[in-house]
Amino acid sequence: MAELRQRAGYQAVLALGRPALDIVSEESITAAALLLRGDGRPLRLVIDATGFLHDQRFGPERTWRQIDPVHMAHAFAVNAIGPALLMKHFLPLLAGEGAAVFATLSARVGSIGDNRLGGWYSYRASKAALNQLVRTASVELGRVNKGAVCVALHPGTVATALSAPFVRSGLEVQTPELAAGRLLDVIAGLGAAQSGGFFDHLGKEVAW
Ligand SMILES: NC(=O)c1ccc[n+]([C@@H]2O[C@H](COP(=O)([O-])OP(=O)(O)OC[C@H]3O[C@@H](n4cnc5c(N)ncnc54)[C@H](OP(=O)(O)O)[C@@H]3O)[C@@H](O)[C@H]2O)c1
């Protein structure tokens, strides 16, 4: 948020999150969208930075023996279905002309082409589903709003609660501020030609 507020060009920057907006509750997403619609100003940029990898109950699976339906359903609810509902209610609010971007934070481990290590079944599969949802929504968005952009972004490894248990030496771990600045630079460089794509924090395309 701080990084976004420092950038010129936005009349207002609004943070939405729990408890008002719970990504697994369509009701709360509808209410947030209604609030924004009521404001009357078109949205120039929507960033979805929600995600789930582990909590007190569940950690990423190391083997198929650890696959648990409740864990997997939660990963899909937060990482794929929730962002799909954001697309449903927020894509129609994007500005019809000029800059209009919807960006959701995916993860490189959601790439099927890049999967050499295995494991992390629920996280990988739910992020792969997210990537497909982004691509699918971008096609529909392009039909109604030619200049608008819908993308999946990989933020790189960032020092947050999500990554903390898994950070290995030799990996570049960014501060959240650095990662946010890099992602905003990538977003600033996006045009309609990039809609439906999957890009990392340095602007490089990631394999599906
Ligand atoms: N950190 C990394 O190294 C890394 C690497 C690759 C991809 N990513 C992706 O980047 C994104 C952000 O990750 P992070 O590292 O910032 O993780 P994090 O510190 O665990 O933050 C996750 C965010 O998601 C929100 N969230 C979770 N469930 C929610 C729900 N039901 N409704 C509304 N908000 C919900 C959390 O809100 P609360 O504050 O309310 O809990 C929190 O703001 C995720 O999509 C993650 O998969 C991160």
Side-chain angles (χ1 to χ4, degrees), residues 17-18 21-24 48-52 74 78-79 105-108 123 127 153-163:
R18 290 188 282 194
L21 190 153
D22 187 327
I23 198 140
V24 300
D48 164 30
T50 61
F52 166 74
H74 183 64
V78 175
N79 293 338
L105 297 193
S106 183
R108 191 184 299 279
Y123 189 67
K127 290 293 191 181
L153 298 177
H154 166 64
T157 303
V158 188
T160 66
L162 181 140
S163 66

Side-chain angles (χ1 to χ4, degrees), residues 79-80 83-84 87 91 102-104 106 126-143 148-153 192-199 205-208:
N79 293 338
M87 293 171 202
L91 289 178
F102 180 99
T104 182
S106 183
S126 58
K127 290 293 191 181
L130 171 64
N131 291 347
Q132 179 66 278
L133 290 161
V134 163
R135 183 58 165 251
T136 303
S138 77
V139 174
E140 186 173 345
L141 181 66
R143 288 193 196 116
V149 175
C150 178
V151 287
L153 298 177
Q194 283 76 45
S195 192
F198 183 17
F199 302 96
E205 210 158 341
V206 182
W208 293 117

Side-chain angles (χ1 to χ4, degrees), residues 13-183:
V13 178
L14 184 66
L16 296 168
R18 290 188 282 194
L21 190 153
D22 187 327
I23 198 140
V24 300
S25 154
E26 184 169 15
E27 210 183 342
S28 74
I29 295 172
T30 311
L34 267 175
L35 191 82
L36 292 171
R37 194 188 294 274
D39 178 66
R41 284 179 290 190
L43 303 185
R44 296 266 162 224
L45 173 61
V46 178
I47 300 177
D48 164 30
T50 61
F52 166 74
L53 172 61
H54 61 90
D55 60 14
Q56 303 85 332
R57 295 165 301 161
F58 302 115
E61 309 90 341
R62 263 169 284 148
T63 151
W64 58 58
R65 292 188 298 281
Q66 294 171 338
I67 291 174
D68 176 282
V70 177
H71 173 191
M72 192 170 271
H74 183 64
F76 272 80
V78 175
N79 293 338
I81 300 169
L85 293 172
L86 285 183
M87 293 171 202
K88 174 180 171 185
H89 294 285
F90 282 75
L91 289 178
L93 304 182
L94 284 180
E97 48 188 48
V101 177
F102 180 99
T104 182
L105 297 193
S106 183
R108 191 184 299 279
V109 297
S111 162
I112 295 171
D114 192 59
N115 184 356
R116 285 177 290 271
L117 289 175
W120 294 31
Y121 286 82
S122 296
Y123 189 67
R124 283 187 190 277
S126 58
K127 290 293 191 181
L130 171 64
N131 291 347
Q132 179 66 278
L133 290 161
V134 163
R135 183 58 165 251
T136 303
S138 77
V139 174
E140 186 173 345
L141 181 66
R143 288 193 196 116
V144 293
N145 190 344
K146 287 202 176 348
V149 175
C150 178
V151 287
L153 298 177
H154 166 64
T157 303
V158 188
T160 66
L162 181 140
S163 66
F166 311 103
V167 169
R168 289 172 278 113
S169 59
L171 217 58
E172 187 204 359
V173 182
Q174 308 159 93
T175 61
E177 294 73 26
L178 177 61
R182 284 173 163 173
L183 290 171

